[in-house]
Amino acid sequence: MYMKTIAIIPALNEEKRITKVIRDTKRFVDEVIVVDDGSTDNTAKVSKKAGAKVIRYEKNRGVGYATKIGLKEAIKTKSDIIVLIDGDGQHDPKYIPLLIKAVKNGADYVYGLRNLSNYPLDRKIGNWGLKTLTNLFCPTGIQYTEGGYRALSINAARRLDLRADRYEREMDFAYNVWKNKFKVDYVKMEVS
């Protein structure tokens, strides 16, 4: 069954990397929306040239704000699945089909589970602490709470009440997953 998929890419000063991210992402989705979060470089211009729809505003408001703007636009386009991917190239778009498959199989919210084996010890401890605290207050079972690579069904996206404007966006997603009792799945992935 065909399901329209939109990718949202929040971006800030990514003119050197965004073209590759857009082109690689477009292989797996119907449309790419770049939300230029007040970049001072040519992120918006190169994103348009690469074939993305661009939403741009002058003042940097934060990745959470950019995500909310992108989600509102994706919901208006009558998409079935929304994928969120970072604009800095750390997320490989090759995992998008797996995220989409998990949503098609009934998940409301699918996240990329990073392989942390090569992370420095302090970052492993930090990630473990954030995951533990998040699941203590919002017991979702999410094993990696700090990643921006995720997919949602349109029904889940419509039920989100995101309020965070900056990097607290990750906790905001976890709270919304818990509050709405979303069915959660994950895709194991390597990160550049």
Side-chain angles (χ1 to χ4, degrees), residues 82 84 99 102-103 106-112 140-157 160 162 169-178 180-187:
I82 301 170
L84 287 149
L99 295 166
V103 173
D108 299 304
Y109 177 88
V110 185
Y111 64 95
T140 60
I142 295 173
Q143 300 173 50
Y144 183 70
T145 57
E146 297 308 297
Y149 204 179
R150 55 179 60 97
L152 302 127
S153 69
I154 190 64
N155 291 332
L160 292 173
L162 299 174
R169 156 189 88 156
E170 309 316 334
M171 298 305 114
D172 205 0
F173 268 108
Y175 173 73
N176 274 269
V177 167
W178 171 74
N180 289 296
K181 297 179 178 29
F182 288 158
K183 182 177 177 191
V184 177
D185 201 352
Y186 64 90
V187 170

Side-chain angles (χ1 to χ4, degrees), residues 128-145:
W128 177 84
L130 288 168
K131 171 189 77 167
T132 303
L133 280 173
T134 300
N135 280 293
L136 180 66
F137 293 104
C138 304
T140 60
I142 295 173
Q143 300 173 50
Y144 183 70
T145 57

Side-chain angles (χ1 to χ4, degrees), residues 9-179:
I9 306 175
L12 174 64
N13 296 328
E14 295 295 350
E15 75 176 302
K16 292 183 174 139
R17 294 182 280 244
I18 196 80
T19 297
K20 180 173 178 13
V21 174
I22 292 167
R23 286 187 181 151
D24 291 350
T25 299
K26 283 177 70 176
R27 293 179 18 222
F28 306 110
V29 301
D30 298 296
E31 184 179 351
V32 173
I33 300 171
V34 171
V35 183
D36 182 345
D37 185 27
S39 295
T40 56
D41 66 2
N42 290 312
T43 296
K45 185 177 181 179
V46 298
S47 296
K48 281 182 189 171
K49 188 174 180 182
K53 176 179 183 174
V54 176
I55 300 169
R56 184 176 193 292
Y57 42 90
E58 294 294 322
K59 183 181 176 195
N60 174 259
R61 304 283 301 270
V63 69
Y65 185 83
T67 299
K68 291 185 285 188
I69 295 297
L71 283 166
K72 283 180 188 174
E73 187 63 27
I75 289 167
K76 284 195 287 188
T77 65
K78 303 203 184 327
S79 58
D80 298 298
I81 299 171
I82 301 170
V83 174
L84 287 149
I85 184 169
D86 289 347
D88 60 7
Q90 69 173 308
H91 299 147
D92 191 332
K94 74 180 182 183
Y95 297 104
I96 291 173
L98 298 174
L99 295 166
I100 291 170
K101 182 179 179 184
V103 173
K104 285 183 175 180
N105 286 339
D108 299 304
Y109 177 88
V110 185
Y111 64 95
L113 177 59
R114 287 186 182 199
N115 177 353
L116 301 179
S117 61
N118 293 326
Y119 267 40
L121 182 59
D122 61 331
R123 290 194 66 195
K124 285 181 187 176
I125 293 169
N127 277 284
W128 177 84
L130 288 168
K131 171 189 77 167
T132 303
L133 280 173
T134 300
N135 280 293
L136 180 66
F137 293 104
C138 304
T140 60
I142 295 173
Q143 300 173 50
Y144 183 70
T145 57
E146 297 308 297
Y149 204 179
R150 55 179 60 97
L152 302 127
S153 69
I154 190 64
N155 291 332
R158 285 185 182 123
R159 291 167 52 202
L160 292 173
D161 181 22
L162 299 174
R163 297 175 184 221
D165 285 342
R166 300 218 174 258
Y167 284 103
E168 67 276 14
R169 156 189 88 156
E170 309 316 334
M171 298 305 114
D172 205 0
F173 268 108
Y175 173 73
N176 274 269
V177 167
W178 171 74
K179 178 181 81 169

